[in-house]
Amino acid sequence: MLIRSHTCGQLRESHVGQTVRLNGWVNSYRDHGGLIFIDLRDRFGLTQIVFDRESGLAADMMASADKLRNEDVIAVEGAVRIRVGGENPKLDTGKVEVVVVALEILNKTDNPPFLPDDLGKLPNEELRLTHRYIDLRRPSMQRILALRHKVYQTTRRYFDENGFLEVETPILYKSTPEGAREFLVPNRHVPGSFYALPQSPQLFKQILMVAGCDRYMQICRCFRDEDPRADRQAEFTQIDLEMSFVRRDQVMATMEGFVRRLWKDVADVDVPPLQRMTYRRAMEDYGIDRPDTRYDLKIKDLSAFAAKMDFAIFKSALEKGKDRPAYNSKKGVVKALRVPGGAEKLTRKITDGYTDFVKTFGAGGVAVVKVIKGEDGQPKLDTGIAKFLEPLKAEFLALLGCQIGDTVLFVADVYAIATKAIGELRQKVARDMGLVPKPGAEGGPWNFLWVVDFPMFERNKETGKWVAMHHPFTSPNDDQMQAFLDADMDDEVTIEGIVSAGYDVVLNGQEIAGGSVRIHDRAVQSKVFALLGMTPEQAKEKFSFLLEALSYGAPPHAGVAFGLDRLIMNFAGTDNIRDVIAFPKTQTGADLMTRAPSPVPENQLRDVHIRSIAPAP
RNA sequence: GGGGCGGUAGCUCAAUUGGUUAGAGUACCGGACUGUCGAUCCGGUGGUUGCGGGUUCGAGUCCCGUCCGCCUCGCCA
C-alpha cells in the first residue's frame, strides 16, 4: 500500500516539487475525459489530485481513475505543483495540486445512501444515525468531535493543575430508586438481584472524600431512563468533581476558574466574573430557575394590584390558596410581562396562540392589553382586558413603567403554574420579538450567571411528600444549619424556607452545571432522610454505606457536575444533543446503527434468572 | 402515558385539496469532453407512495389501526 507521507490538509506552496503520497476518500470528481480532478478528503482537509493522460500515467491507472466515485478510498503518489488552473481560495491547500503517477484503490464503495458533505440539506436524521460512520465523515461533524476532544483535554489539564485526582467509579452500581428511573442489570449469581447503572457517581465521590482523596474529578457516563428531549439523552456525560475542606465559595471559585479556562482555550473568549442571583429572584423576575439574561424582559407580580380590579378571572385565581404564605406553590397570583414594542409585533394571531401555549403548562390562558397612543397623544389601553384596567389605568401604567407601543401579557393561576407558564411565555415572546441573539461564529454572546439559595425541599405535585430539590445529600446553607436542626418536621413554613448550599451555573438560559455543599454529619443526613419520608430502616437499607462513612471521619466537602454534552452544544452552536455525541440514541432509546436494544436468546435470560412477559413480536 | 409534525425514486422534494402512465433536481449507469473546483453537455435505469385494513367507479391524497423518526407536556432526586 502507498502509505501516506502527508495528510490531505497539509500541502502548501513550500511542498512544491516534492513527491508525496496521500490516502483518503474521494470527496468529489470532475472528469474531463483525459483529465480528471479529484478532491481527496481526510479528517484534516481536502487536496486536489490530478490524473492527466498526457503526464505519463499508466493507461490502466487512468482507466481506474475514470471509475472512481464519491467515497471510494484510495492511495495516490505524485508530485506537488502549483495549480495550473489557478488557486481555489476555498481550500487551505488551494494553491497546490498533486499530479498522480500511481493510484491504488484501497476500497471501492457501494453507492452510499448519502454524501457526507455540508452542502445543501442534511438527509433525515434516521438515515444519518443508521449510517453514522458516513455521517461522521462530514467536516462539520469532525469539527464537533475535535471540539469535544479539546474540552476533554482542557478539563483534565485544569483539574490536574488544581490538585484533583481522576478516579473511576463503578458503572454497575446499587439501585437507589429515589431520583430518575434507572436502567437495571440482573446479577447472575443472586437470582432476582439487580445492579443499576448510575444516575451519577454522587455517593462514590462523597465516599472518595471520606477516603481522603481530597479532590476528585472524572469525566463520567451517567444514565437516566427518562424520556429524552432535544438537549437530553438517557446516556450522557458529566464532568464530575468533589472537593474536601471547602465551603460554597471555594467550589464556586474553582468552577468559575474552570469556565474561564475552558472558554479561553476552546472559544478564545474572556469570561467576565459571574453575577449571582438567588433562586427567589430568578423565579420572581424570570419565572424559571435558569434565567436567560440575554434580553431584558422581566416579569412582575401584580397580585396586589389585580385584587383591586373588577375582573372575575383574576379574582377567582387570587381566591385560590389565599391563606397560604407568599411563594407557596398553591397560592393564587397574577403575573404580568411587559413587552416593549409588542403592540405592533405581537399580532392578535400570535397572542391568541399564547393561550394555547400556556395551556400546555396547566394555565388557563393569557390576558392581553396594548398600550397605544390615544387621540390626546397620551397612552391609551386597547383590546383584551383594557376595559377592566381602565379605572386603574394610571396606577397600572406606573407599576409596569409602560410606554406607548407596549403589550402587557398576564397569567393568573396558583403560584407554581402561573410562574412556570409566564416564565416559558417570556422565552417564547423573546423569540417572537427577535430578542434572542443568534450565536455568532464564536458562539456568543455568553451570558453566565450563578443561581444560589435554592430551597432544600419542595412538595411532590402528586404525592404531596417532601422531595429534595437538588438531591438528598445537599447540605442546608451554613447560616441555615441550626434552624434546620431545630426545625419541627411538621412545620411546613419553616421546612419550606430552609435554603440549601446549592449552586447552578446558568448559560443563556441553560443549566450547564449544578452542585452543592454536601452533608458530612450523620445526624443532619438522617434528619433529611426522615423528612423525605424514609424510616430509619429504609434509610439504612438504601444508604447504610453512606451513613456509616459519615460516622467514620467524613471531612466537610462539596462538589459539582458539569453537563459536558451541553457545553459542547454551546461551542458547536447546535441545539441538538445528538450532534455532539458520536453514537447517540433516538427518542425510544434505540441505536439505529447497531439495532440496540434487541431481544436475547431464552438461555441468556435464564442465566440471569429473567423471564420476559413481553408479547411475542 | 398525553399532544403535535413528518414518512413519495439511493437522497432532497413536488404531485391542482379524490381523477390519465406519480414528476423534478441530485446520485447511479452509458456516452462526449485536457484546467475543473458543487465541472459541463447528451442519453438511460430507478417507485409495494412506511406497513395493514377500510370508504370509493377511482386513494400518494379521505377514514381506522400500526411501526419508525423528530418536537413537546408529564418525567429528568
Side-chain angles (χ1 to χ4, degrees):
Chain A
M1 175 183 162
L2 298 167
I3 301 287
R4 65 183 171 193
S5 60
H6 296 77
T7 71
C8 295
Q10 209 174 345
L11 298 177
R12 298 290 184 276
E13 283 174 287
S14 60
H15 296 91
V16 167
Q18 292 184 25
T19 293
V20 300
R21 291 178 304 279
L22 296 177
N23 300 160
W25 287 261
V26 174
N27 191 68
S28 61
Y29 61 94
R30 297 174 288 280
D31 185 347
H32 292 235
L35 182 70
I36 300 169
F37 300 96
I38 282 179
D39 290 342
L40 195 64
R41 184 193 71 239
D42 62 16
R43 171 153 79 80
F44 307 97
L46 291 174
T47 301
Q48 172 162 288
I49 61 177
V50 186
F51 296 85
D52 188 343
R53 192 160 42 200
E54 293 171 5
S55 73
L57 182 64
D60 60 325
M61 286 194 182
M62 193 66 201
S64 297
D66 190 50
K67 298 287 180 209
L68 289 175
R69 292 295 178 267
N70 294 332
E71 301 309 308
D72 284 338
V73 183
I74 63 173
V76 295
E77 182 173 72
V80 182
R81 72 178 182 201
I82 295 291
R83 284 190 182 219
V84 174
E87 178 181 354
N88 180 355
K90 292 181 192 165
L91 302 183
D92 291 339
T93 62
K95 283 195 164 65
V96 297
E97 62 189 7
V98 174
V99 193
V100 176
V101 296
L103 165 69
E104 191 177 341
I105 294 175
L106 302 176
N107 213 331
K108 280 297 280 185
T109 178
D110 289 345
N111 186 22
F114 58 91
L115 294 178
D117 61 41
D118 288 308
L119 311 160
K121 267 195 86 172
L122 290 170
N124 80 55
E125 203 168 358
E126 202 171 342
L127 196 73
R128 294 176 59 197
L129 294 175
T130 304
H131 303 278
R132 193 60 160 175
Y133 37 85
I134 299 174
D135 194 53
L136 289 175
R137 287 177 198 164
R138 164 189 320 285
S140 56
M141 295 302 281
Q142 292 287 330
R143 184 182 146 258
I144 292 174
L145 291 177
L147 266 177
R148 194 167 174 123
H149 167 82
K150 178 119 189 169
V151 171
Y152 295 148
Q153 305 317 316
T154 295
T155 300
R156 291 209 160 93
R157 206 175 311 121
Y158 176 83
F159 288 109
D160 178 54
E161 288 165 8
N162 283 277
F164 286 74
L165 285 187
E166 182 167 354
V167 182
E168 289 183 81
T169 54
I171 295 294
L172 296 176
Y173 176 46
K174 182 181 173 67
S175 173
T176 55
E178 267 68 40
R181 187 181 301 113
E182 298 173 319
F183 288 95
L184 293 177
V185 181
N187 177 283
R188 178 170 53 87
H189 300 287
V190 186
S193 286
F194 296 83
Y195 303 98
L197 305 183
Q199 300 172 36
S200 83
Q202 180 60 35
L203 293 177
F204 282 107
K205 66 177 175 175
Q206 289 190 235
I207 293 207
L208 284 170
M209 296 303 99
V210 182
C213 273
D214 202 273
R215 292 183 171 196
Y216 142 93
M217 73 82 60
Q218 184 182 193
I219 297 175
C220 63
R221 200 65 62 84
C222 303
F223 305 87
R224 295 180 189 170
D225 188 7
E226 301 289 352
D227 287 353
R229 289 287 183 279
D231 62 351
R232 219 167 74 189
Q233 185 89 168
E235 182 178 355
F236 64 101
T237 305
Q238 284 188 345
I239 301 170
D240 198 45
L241 316 174
E242 200 74 11
M243 305 167 75
S244 293
F245 305 116
V246 292
R247 302 315 283 160
R248 191 173 78 169
D249 288 351
Q250 289 77 48
V251 185
M252 290 171 75
T254 303
M255 291 165 70
E256 222 175 299
F258 172 58
V259 165
R260 203 160 287 122
R261 166 74 75 86
L262 195 57
W263 257 260
K264 188 64 187 171
D265 278 14
V266 178
D268 195 26
V269 167
D270 293 303
V271 175
L274 274 58
Q275 301 296 306
R276 291 190 189 189
M277 185 185 294
T278 65
Y279 171 82
R280 189 65 68 206
R281 184 86 267 135
M283 296 305 285
E284 281 298 291
D285 288 352
Y286 302 94
I288 194 164
D289 62 0
R290 44 185 169 83
D292 189 339
T293 53
R294 286 176 298 176
Y295 43 89
D296 193 32
L297 295 178
K298 278 189 186 163
I299 295 161
K300 193 151 178 93
D301 188 306
L302 288 191
S303 301
F305 170 81
K308 292 185 274 182
M309 287 171 64
D310 189 17
F311 183 42
I313 291 175
F314 286 177
K315 278 230 180 327
S316 70
L318 291 169
E319 276 300 303
K320 294 178 189 168
K322 64 176 177 180
D323 299 328
R324 290 176 175 260
Y327 309 124
N328 184 281
S329 63
K330 289 180 181 162
K331 186 182 181 68
V333 295
V334 175
K335 297 282 183 181
L337 180 69
R338 181 173 80 89
V339 188
E344 194 182 338
K345 279 196 181 174
L346 301 179
T347 61
R348 176 65 187 267
K349 190 177 172 185
I350 292 176
T351 55
D352 282 353
Y354 290 163
T355 285
D356 289 334
F357 179 74
V358 299
K359 277 180 180 169
T360 64
F361 306 103
V366 175
V368 183
V369 72
K370 291 185 176 186
V371 184
I372 63 173
K373 193 172 195 172
E375 284 168 18
D376 56 0
Q378 295 302 305
K380 181 183 173 213
L381 299 177
D382 189 42
T383 76
I385 62 169
K387 69 171 177 178
F388 300 103
L389 284 163
E390 196 57 42
L392 300 162
K393 175 175 150 186
E395 184 184 355
F396 171 70
L397 293 176
L399 259 177
L400 288 174
C402 286
Q403 306 288 319
I404 290 169
D406 291 354
T407 286
V408 180
L409 305 169
F410 303 81
V411 177
D413 211 303
V414 295
Y415 182 88
I417 290 176
T419 300
K420 165 109 183 168
I422 202 155
E424 297 288 342
L425 182 62
R426 173 183 174 271
Q427 304 193 110
K428 185 171 177 61
V429 167
R431 289 193 293 275
D432 291 345
M433 293 292 294
L435 297 174
V436 186
K438 288 215 164 53
E442 312 79 25
W446 308 103
N447 279 40
F448 290 92
L449 185 69
W450 285 110
V451 178
V452 295
D453 295 350
F454 292 85
M456 284 277 287
F457 305 100
E458 59 186 343
R459 293 285 194 185
N460 178 289
K461 284 188 201 74
E462 277 126 45
T463 64
K465 287 183 177 172
W466 289 116
V467 292
M469 184 166 237
H470 185 48
H471 57 53
F473 320 108
T474 300
S475 174
N477 210 352
D478 288 350
D479 59 4
Q480 307 271 312
M481 187 60 85
Q482 201 53 50
F484 174 72
L485 287 169
D486 293 344
D488 178 348
M489 305 232 306
D490 297 325
D491 179 357
E492 166 142 4
V493 173
T494 302
I495 299 296
E496 202 174 49
I498 303 283
V499 168
S500 81
Y503 32 81
D504 283 358
V505 180
V506 173
L507 168 59
N508 298 345
Q510 200 180 32
E511 181 195 328
I512 61 165
S516 61
V517 177
R518 323 300 187 189
I519 296 166
H520 66 281
D521 180 277
R522 179 169 181 157
V524 178
Q525 187 67 70
S526 294
K527 180 154 185 171
V528 170
F529 285 154
L531 251 166
L532 298 178
M534 264 185 254
T535 65
E537 292 70 33
Q538 288 169 327
K540 197 175 170 196
E541 148 61 23
K542 287 173 184 160
F543 300 114
S544 59
F545 60 102
L546 176 69
L547 292 170
E548 279 174 28
L550 294 181
S551 314
Y552 290 118
H557 60 285
V560 65
F562 283 84
L564 182 132
D565 306 288
R566 287 186 185 169
L567 294 177
I568 314 292
M569 285 170 69
N570 277 289
F571 290 128
T574 178
D575 50 13
N576 178 352
I577 195 171
R578 295 175 299 280
D579 283 348
V580 302
I581 297 174
F583 301 102
K585 292 182 172 58
T586 69
Q587 221 160 97
T588 55
D591 175 344
L592 297 178
M593 187 181 73
T594 66
R595 296 265 152 218
S598 58
V600 296
E602 194 60 38
N603 62 333
Q604 218 180 329
L605 285 179
R606 219 164 29 234
D607 280 352
V608 293
H609 319 285
I610 295 280
R611 186 181 298 125
S612 173
I613 59 168

